[in-house]
Amino acid sequence: MKFKILGLIVVAGLMVACSSDTQEEVNEVSAQDLGLRKAPVSDEKDVSLSDYQYSTSPAGESQKIERSYENAPPLIPHDTEGMLDITQDNNMCLGCHAPDVAQSVGATPVPKSHTYDLRNHHAIKDGIAQSRYNCTQCHVPQANAKPLVKNNFTPVFKSERAKSRSNLLDVINEGVK
């Protein structure tokens, strides 16, 4: 019983000590200095966005963008005007990127990982896996915005092909025992 009371006193003391340290840290950072936008988080009037533009190249005429890392979702290099919103019944991306169409229009086909149901472990014979229909959940248009912070990341690709094609389904269990 004595040890329990002593333990409670020690825990209470630590909580008081930690809360006073946290309070001091919070008071040292002003709302102006939070984040990268250098404006108070409580008011949007002083927020100014950098000038940037998305690609205006139509689909089929844009230049492909190298993946950020192996098997990263590729960025959308073309204008998406009129292609969004995407639903399970209306997906304009598949009009060019469906595996049976892509080669004839010069588009990158969706990879095997999109035509395989990872949850139930079976290949999809017609279309893509239901969990993959919302393309813009992973793929985003690229703007010409400058990075807000310096980044020294350099991707390592196992092959030249990996810069533009995904082999995720082939390597998804690499390193898993």
Side-chain angles (χ1 to χ4, degrees):
M1 185 68 171
K2 289 181 184 177
F3 290 116
K4 287 183 180 178
I5 293 173
L6 182 61
L8 287 172
I9 292 171
V10 169
V11 169
L14 287 171
M15 290 175 66
V16 169
C18 290
S19 67
S20 64
D21 286 346
T22 303
Q23 189 69 13
E24 288 174 20
E25 290 177 21
V26 170
N27 291 336
E28 292 176 10
V29 179
S30 73
Q32 188 82 20
D33 295 331
L34 286 173
L36 299 172
R37 64 191 215 161
K38 303 303 177 204
V41 293
S42 59
D43 192 349
E44 297 290 321
K45 72 176 171 63
D46 293 331
V47 175
S48 61
L49 299 176
S50 300
D51 188 28
Y52 64 90
Q53 294 182 342
Y54 292 103
S55 173
T56 56
S57 299
E61 296 180 21
S62 57
Q63 186 172 4
K64 293 178 185 170
I65 302 168
E66 187 175 290
R67 291 172 188 256
S68 299
Y69 52 89
E70 192 162 316
N71 287 310
L75 299 170
I76 301 171
H78 57 77
D79 189 7
T80 58
E81 181 79 28
M83 297 179 179
L84 307 173
D85 295 335
I86 298 171
T87 66
Q88 280 186 305
D89 298 326
N90 183 24
N91 184 329
M92 294 190 66
C93 303
L94 293 176
C96 293
H97 296 282
D100 57 334
V101 176
Q103 186 174 6
S104 65
V105 297
T108 301
V110 295
K112 289 190 299 185
S113 60
H114 289 49
T115 58
Y116 188 85
D117 183 344
L118 291 168
R119 184 172 293 159
N120 298 306
H121 306 287
H122 68 86
I124 305 296
K125 293 186 174 35
D126 185 29
I128 61 171
Q130 288 185 353
S131 61
R132 301 290 189 149
Y133 83 88
N134 188 2
C135 306
T136 53
Q137 185 172 354
C138 298
H139 305 275
V140 296
Q142 176 65 54
N144 62 352
K146 293 181 181 175
L148 296 175
V149 294
K150 186 177 179 180
N151 185 343
N152 295 326
F153 176 76
T154 303
V156 176
F157 294 95
K158 291 180 182 173
S159 69
E160 196 63 26
R161 181 179 166 83
K163 291 180 179 178
S164 60
R165 298 294 169 113
S166 172
N167 66 346
L168 180 62
L169 198 58
D170 300 329
V171 299
I172 197 164
N173 288 322
E174 273 187 7
V176 177
K177 293 182 180 181

